[in-house]
Amino acid sequence: MDQKNASTTTTCARCGARHAGLPVTWTCSVENGRRVYFCDDCARRHLRSIESRLDSAWW
């Protein structure tokens, strides 16, 4: 694992769940030029909206 990733804490933009490093199974999206991450549970719950490329503000 990269040194930069080892000291990073990733937070889910939807529910606030936290994970040390960059979780491989989380979903990443770029919204308004900003990279946001969604945990497994939130990504599953909002899969159709993510696939439709709706901003997370809409779901």
Side-chain angles (χ1 to χ4, degrees):
M1 180 179 273
D2 185 284
Q3 283 285 3
K4 180 180 173 187
N5 293 342
S7 63
T8 301
T9 299
T10 306
T11 304
C12 176
R14 195 81 189 140
C15 71
R18 298 179 69 145
H19 189 279
L22 293 172
V24 177
T25 58
W26 284 26
T27 301
C28 176
S29 176
V30 177
E31 298 180 5
N32 299 321
R34 195 175 126 239
R35 191 177 296 230
V36 293
Y37 295 91
F38 301 101
C39 68
D40 298 334
D41 293 333
C42 289
R44 276 190 216 103
R45 190 173 303 119
H46 300 286
L47 182 62
R48 287 183 182 251
S49 297
I50 293 169
E51 288 178 341
S52 299
R53 297 183 185 262
L54 294 174
D55 281 345
S56 59
W58 290 96
W59 31 284

